[in-house]
Amino acid sequence: MVLKVYVSGMSGNKEVKKRQQRVLMILDSKNIQYDTVDITEPGKEGEKEMMQNKSTSNGGTVSDPDPRHPLPPQIFNDADYCGDYDAFDMANEIDTLEVFLKLAPADTTAVSSAQIELKQENGDAKKDEDGEKEKTTEKDEVAPAEEAATEANGEAGEKAEKDEEEAETTSEDKEKDEGEGADAKEENGEEKRQVSATTTVAPATAVDQPTTNSDRLLESERAATAQ
């Protein structure tokens, strides 16, 4: 099995050129044997047609995201299509390059483990994010409750102070009324005593009056006898 990298030696697209150089550099650094097939060379029309027909990824770039024909670099293992630059780069990043190049049997365990770890990391990140959101929500819910409780306590305190002031005022008014009632009673008592004293003295005067008239009558009789 021969690994083939299809490139374009005459491409005017700078991104295509950089991608081709990176693929070859990585393969060289890993000591992976390969053949380079330049589809722009004379006599390579058949190779170019085969690459375009079998490539299922178009190798789109930023400047040409949807090319009419697949852009190089395209990687094959003999006639088996491996993938374009993006797939190659991803396989290199997750350390499954030999599987991608069909140079080693697919290790589904390794791939699955990598995917599981990635999912776990994403899940943990999501949990942390959800936890932060819940804390923020709880904090937002507690704040209005605390404010409401503070306002209720303030209103209750004001009401208690007001009730206390009203109670003091009522007590003072009651004491005042009681004092005035006592004064009125004392005055009524004095008046009653004065009236009683007057009533007691009056009969005495009435008793003395008849005595005085008798004296006068006797005196008149005596005067008449004397004459």
Side-chain angles (χ1 to χ4, degrees):
M1 300 177 71
V2 179
L3 185 66
K4 296 181 180 181
V5 181
Y6 289 81
V7 299
S8 174
M10 297 178 62
S11 175
N13 190 321
K14 292 182 179 180
E15 190 172 355
V16 169
K17 289 181 178 180
K18 288 181 180 180
R19 288 181 171 186
Q20 292 174 165
Q21 292 173 358
R22 177 172 169 77
V23 169
L24 300 180
M25 180 186 69
I26 292 173
L27 293 175
D28 290 338
S29 66
K30 294 182 178 294
N31 296 320
I32 297 175
Q33 300 297 321
Y34 63 91
D35 288 342
T36 303
V37 180
D38 188 349
I39 60 175
T40 61
E41 291 181 352
K44 299 293 183 177
E45 289 79 6
E47 297 283 353
K48 178 180 179 180
E49 185 177 356
M50 189 275 296
M51 183 205 79
Q52 292 178 345
N53 291 335
K54 287 193 173 185
S55 296
T56 57
S57 300
N58 59 18
T61 62
V62 174
S63 59
D64 190 5
D66 190 17
R68 185 173 59 179
H69 300 292
L71 296 176
Q74 298 287 345
I75 298 95
F76 284 78
N77 191 328
D78 282 339
D80 294 333
Y81 180 66
C82 297
D84 63 356
Y85 170 79
D86 288 335
F88 174 90
D89 188 55
M90 178 60 69
N92 182 57
E93 289 293 330
I94 64 176
D95 199 23
T96 58
L97 187 58
E98 290 187 355
V99 176
F100 167 78
L101 298 174
K102 303 183 187 301
L103 299 175
D107 187 357
T108 56
T109 303
V111 176
S112 299
S113 298
Q115 291 175 346
I116 291 171
E117 291 178 359
L118 182 61
K119 288 181 180 179
Q120 288 177 344
E121 291 176 358
N122 293 336
D124 293 339
K126 187 175 181 181
K127 288 180 180 178
D128 294 338
E129 184 179 354
D130 293 340
E132 291 295 331
K133 288 182 179 178
E134 289 179 358
K135 289 180 180 178
T136 303
T137 303
E138 289 177 357
K139 187 176 180 181
D140 293 339
E141 291 177 353
V142 169
E146 291 179 350
E147 292 179 358
T150 303
E151 291 180 358
N153 292 334
E155 292 177 356
E158 291 178 357
K159 185 177 180 181
E161 292 179 358
K162 187 175 180 181
D163 293 342
E164 185 176 353
E165 291 177 357
E166 291 179 353
E168 291 178 355
T169 303
T170 303
S171 178
E172 291 176 356
D173 293 341
K174 185 176 181 180
E175 290 177 356
K176 185 177 179 181
D177 292 340
E178 290 177 354
E180 291 178 352
D183 293 339
K185 288 180 179 180
E186 290 180 359
E187 291 178 356
N188 292 332
E190 290 292 334
E191 291 178 356
K192 287 180 179 180
R193 284 196 293 271
Q194 290 177 359
V195 171
S196 297
T198 303
T199 305
T200 304
V201 171
T205 304
V207 172
D208 292 340
Q209 185 66 32
T211 305
T212 302
N213 292 331
S214 298
D215 292 339
R216 288 179 180 178
L217 182 59
L218 289 174
E219 287 179 359
S220 299
E221 291 178 354
R222 287 175 183 176
T225 304
Q227 291 179 357

